[in-house]
Amino acid sequence: MYITVIAFVAKGVSSHELTAALLLVGLWISGALFLQFYERENLEISRLGSIIRERITPLAVNILQIDQRDLFPSETNHAFPQFDVITSRYDHQIKWVLFLVIPLAITVLYLSEDWYWVSKALDFCKRDPYMAIVSVGFGLRTLYLLVKYSWIKRLSVE
């Protein structure tokens, strides 16, 4: 869904529609919200995995009298840690490109073709400076989330 937002905004910005600035604000807002949702879901999956690993598996192993690795292989037997490192790197790259690099590139493209908008961004009697403040705020929120969760995952993989 977020890729659809990117495509819609890129089309609107490239066609120089009057609403291009609003589309850019929407892109930064939706990017931050989608990233936050994505990270929340990842944390929820990790939480459920730890519940399976720490609470359900020991009880089930005692009841069924089988080896722990045979019960929930995906949760109890990390047989290929090298793949965890590779998939983690790809996950980081995709998130950084999708949520920061592409929106930033679209924004720079828009601003490079419409320098008049930059001068309007300083006129606080209009909506443009407030749109710029909201965009920068959500851009910083996105950067914060990317750095925070990249650091957390890097520590968990190592």
Side-chain angles (χ1 to χ4, degrees), residues 51-77:
I51 289 172
I52 292 170
R53 200 170 32 258
E54 297 167 11
R55 295 184 185 168
I56 296 172
T57 301
L59 294 173
V61 164
N62 287 336
I63 293 170
L64 299 173
Q65 296 298 315
I66 60 174
D67 186 38
Q68 186 173 359
R69 287 178 284 175
D70 294 333
L71 186 61
F72 294 111
S74 64
E75 293 300 326
T76 60
N77 185 12

Side-chain angles (χ1 to χ4, degrees), residues 4-17:
T4 305
V5 171
I6 289 173
F8 181 75
V9 171
K11 179 186 177 291
V13 168
S14 66
S15 65
H16 305 292
E17 293 179 7

Side-chain angles (χ1 to χ4, degrees), residues 59-122:
L59 294 173
V61 164
N62 287 336
I63 293 170
L64 299 173
Q65 296 298 315
I66 60 174
D67 186 38
Q68 186 173 359
R69 287 178 284 175
D70 294 333
L71 186 61
F72 294 111
S74 64
E75 293 300 326
T76 60
N77 185 12
H78 296 288
F80 304 106
Q82 68 272 21
F83 292 121
D84 292 341
V85 172
I86 294 169
T87 56
S88 178
R89 285 182 192 150
Y90 286 150
D91 183 54
H92 295 319
Q93 291 169 7
I94 288 170
K95 285 190 305 190
W96 279 85
V97 168
L98 196 59
F99 293 106
L100 191 66
V101 173
I102 291 175
L104 194 57
I106 292 171
T107 302
V108 168
L109 175 71
Y110 174 71
L111 292 177
S112 69
E113 293 180 0
D114 188 10
W115 286 106
Y116 177 67
W117 189 86
V118 176
S119 66
K120 289 191 319 183
L122 301 175

